[in-house]
């Protein structure tokens, strides 16, 4: 599998900028927003960027979802999975979710403008929306992806130009449409002066970005992260997630089941590749005790990352972990056991771990408005480096 990856032409994302027209526009403050498949909150962040470098970090904000809002988003996700692009779309559920997403993003915007102790005025914003369905490309079956938000209402609430719909063009061109944060991960690693390092995001799904010694970016989804564990905990009426990894720590890993799970054909597929949040789910632990299920699902996510790292052309010197999973000590311990390199939290690397995905969509917005590429053959499998995102305002 590694040999297949090595045949790809290695061009760094900075070198490929030379092939694209760049508007004569200097650095500006850009707001980014992200609502992940964990359905916990809308995150917002401001960065000063020209879409190539990150020059300064501004305020951040988090707007937590209420139980009712979370249920509306879950209902839309369940309706989308049942629909799966066959027959009439469940528009009532989708519209309810769009209303929640747009309103909470607007409220996160207000929190962002009030935060940080200094006046920072954004000139541009990038919004991802709520992913409710994602189908990866397979032979004979094109990929598809769906994010919910009302871009017109969002742009009106923000009052600045808005970049959105970052995935559709990539999928239409034959790419996976995910992950999209690698270009921002690469900018962070370049800012830090790192060589062969990787960024691992642990949301509902895990994705990794590796910056090789020559500057090339490789990225793909490695497998599940928090999603199955959260689903397992919630399905047992024990909350929305495994707080501090306590449930997993109290259980025993079922090694026989793990071996079966790691035999899934997903792990034999050559990157780039992407997952829907529910491609791996809590049903994998059916029949186990509550604690043993939490331990097994947590360890499975970590070993799936280990399998992904083994598919990289170069072993990274360190993996920097962002996303909610880094708050789970059991998950982090399992990662350190599964990976052949140092594992650091985003904070240990000097980053804002809860805001990286929101920052990433600010960065993507800056690139979109300048006509710069946001995906590559080695990040989404798209045939050639391409731009993405649509603009309003």
């Amino acid at each position: 599998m590694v040999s297949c990856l090595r045949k790809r032409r290695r061009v760094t994302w900075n070198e490929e900028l030379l092939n694209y027209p760049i508007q004569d526009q200097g650095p500006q403050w850009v707001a980014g927003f992200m609502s992940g498949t964990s359905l916990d909150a809308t995150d917002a962040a401001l960065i000063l960027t020209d879409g190539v470098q990150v020059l300064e970090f501004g305020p951040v904000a988090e707007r937590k979802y209420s139980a009712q809002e979370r249920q509306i988003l879950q209902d839309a996700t369940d309706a989308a999975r049942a629909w799966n692009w066959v027959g009439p779309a469940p528009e009532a559920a989708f519209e309810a979710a769009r209303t929640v997403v747009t309103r909470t993003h607007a409220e996160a915007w207000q929190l962002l403008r009030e935060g940080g102790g200094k006046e920072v005025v954004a000139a541009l914003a990038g919004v991802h929306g709520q992913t409710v369905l994602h189908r990866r490309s397979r032979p004979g079956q094109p990929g598809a992806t769906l994010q919910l938000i009302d871009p017109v209402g969002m742009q009106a609430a923000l009052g600045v130009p808005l970049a959105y719909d970052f995935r559709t063009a990539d999928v239409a061109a034959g790419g996976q449409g995910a992950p999209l944060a690698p270009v921002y991960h690469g900018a962070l690693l370049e800012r830090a002066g790192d060589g062969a390092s990787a960024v691992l995001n642990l949301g509902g799904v895990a994705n990794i970005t590796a910056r090789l010694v020559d500057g090339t970016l490789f990225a793909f989804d490695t497998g599940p992260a928090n999603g199955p564990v959260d689903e397992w905990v919630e399905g047992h009426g024990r909350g929305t997630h495994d707080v501090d990894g306590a449930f997993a720590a109290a259980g025993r890993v079922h090694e026989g089941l793990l071996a079966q799970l790691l035999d899934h054909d997903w792990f034999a597929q050559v990157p780039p590749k992407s997952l829907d949040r529910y491609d791996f789910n809590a049903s994998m632990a059916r029949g186990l005790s509550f604690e043993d299920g939490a331990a097994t699902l947590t360890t499975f996510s970590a070993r799936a990352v280990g399998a992904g790292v083994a598919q990289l052309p170069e072993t990274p010197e360190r993996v920097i972990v962002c996303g909610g999973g880094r708050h789970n000590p059991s998950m982090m311990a399992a990662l350190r056991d599964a990976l052949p390199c140092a594992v650091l939290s985003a904070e240990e690397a000097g980053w804002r771990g809860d805001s990286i995905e929101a920052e990433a969509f600010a960065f993507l917005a800056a690139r979109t408005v300048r006509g710069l590429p946001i995906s590559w053959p080695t990040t989404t499998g798209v045939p050639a480096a391409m731009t993405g995102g649509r603009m309003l305002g």
Side-chain angles (χ1 to χ4, degrees):
M1 282 177 277
V2 170
S3 61
C4 294
L5 287 172
R6 288 185 184 277
K7 292 177 182 178
R8 297 179 184 272
R9 186 174 67 93
R10 293 188 178 182
V11 182
T12 70
W13 64 275
N14 269 337
E15 289 170 348
E16 292 209 41
L17 297 183
L18 302 176
N19 298 322
Y20 287 81
I22 302 178
Q23 296 180 15
D24 186 15
Q25 186 173 348
Q28 56 187 340
W29 285 102
V30 186
F33 300 84
M34 181 63 186
S35 174
T37 55
S38 296
L39 305 181
D40 56 350
T42 291
D43 293 312
L46 275 164
I47 59 172
L48 181 65
T49 182
D50 59 1
V52 179
Q53 294 180 301
V54 182
L55 304 175
E56 191 175 341
F57 299 93
V60 299
E62 179 185 63
R63 199 307 198 159
K64 287 282 191 184
Y65 291 132
S66 68
Q68 182 181 22
E69 290 166 343
R70 192 171 187 272
Q71 188 60 56
I72 290 171
L73 298 181
Q74 186 63 61
D75 289 346
T77 302
D78 294 341
R81 293 176 63 208
W83 166 56
N84 200 27
W85 289 287
V86 177
E91 285 299 337
F94 288 174
E95 187 57 33
R98 286 190 192 97
T99 298
V100 167
V101 172
T102 305
R103 184 184 69 248
T104 55
H105 278 55
E107 291 173 3
W109 167 251
Q110 292 303 318
L111 292 172
L112 194 65
R113 295 180 67 182
E114 296 165 2
K118 61 180 179 179
E119 183 67 22
V120 176
V121 179
L124 174 68
V127 61
H128 175 258
Q130 182 66 51
T131 296
V132 293
L133 196 59
H134 182 84
R135 182 178 69 203
R136 66 182 183 271
S137 299
R138 294 185 174 101
Q141 183 184 50
T145 191
L146 178 61
Q147 288 75 44
L148 298 179
I149 196 165
D150 172 11
V152 174
M154 188 76 230
Q155 195 273 326
L158 300 183
V160 298
L162 179 71
Y164 69 103
D165 191 17
F166 294 98
R167 300 188 189 275
T168 302
D170 184 273
V171 170
Q176 296 286 323
L180 287 183
V183 65
Y184 182 63
H185 295 162
L188 287 178
L189 291 172
E190 188 164 286
R191 176 185 170 95
D194 284 313
S197 293
V199 179
L200 174 67
N201 179 60
L202 296 178
V205 169
N207 59 72
I208 194 165
T209 301
R211 182 176 184 269
L212 308 184
V213 171
D214 67 1
T216 305
L217 297 180
F218 276 95
F220 54 95
D221 288 348
T222 62
N226 309 319
V229 184
D230 293 350
E231 185 185 351
W232 179 259
V233 172
E234 190 163 16
H236 284 79
R238 305 290 291 272
T240 59
H241 63 287
D242 187 0
V243 178
D244 295 329
F247 298 138
R252 296 180 61 183
V253 175
H254 193 301
E255 292 289 347
L257 177 58
L258 271 185
Q260 294 177 35
L261 294 175
L262 290 166
D263 195 41
H264 193 286
D265 63 3
W266 164 260
F267 299 105
Q269 294 179 29
V270 176
K273 51 187 177 179
S274 67
L275 284 171
D276 180 76
R277 152 67 183 85
Y278 290 94
D279 285 341
F280 292 97
N281 55 62
S283 68
M284 296 182 293
R286 186 182 296 121
L288 299 183
S289 71
F290 173 65
E291 289 80 6
D292 289 357
T296 301
L297 291 173
T298 299
T299 301
F300 175 54
S301 293
R303 293 194 189 174
V305 173
V309 168
Q311 289 186 299
L312 295 171
E314 298 172 3
T315 300
E317 297 172 4
R318 62 179 186 166
V319 170
I320 301 169
V321 185
C322 58
R326 78 189 193 287
H327 294 305
N328 183 331
S330 295
M331 181 79 76
M332 292 296 285
L335 281 171
R336 292 187 173 101
D337 287 340
L339 301 187
C341 57
V343 176
L344 289 73
S345 70
E347 286 72 20
E348 289 173 313
W351 300 349
R352 307 186 298 186
D354 287 324
S355 303
I356 288 176
E357 284 196 289
E359 293 169 1
F361 282 95
F363 193 73
L364 291 176
R367 293 180 71 82
T368 295
V369 80
R370 299 185 70 190
L372 300 176
I374 65 172
S375 59
W376 288 264
T378 54
T379 62
T380 67
V382 74
M386 67 176 295
T387 58
R390 300 165 65 187
M391 291 298 305
L392 275 176

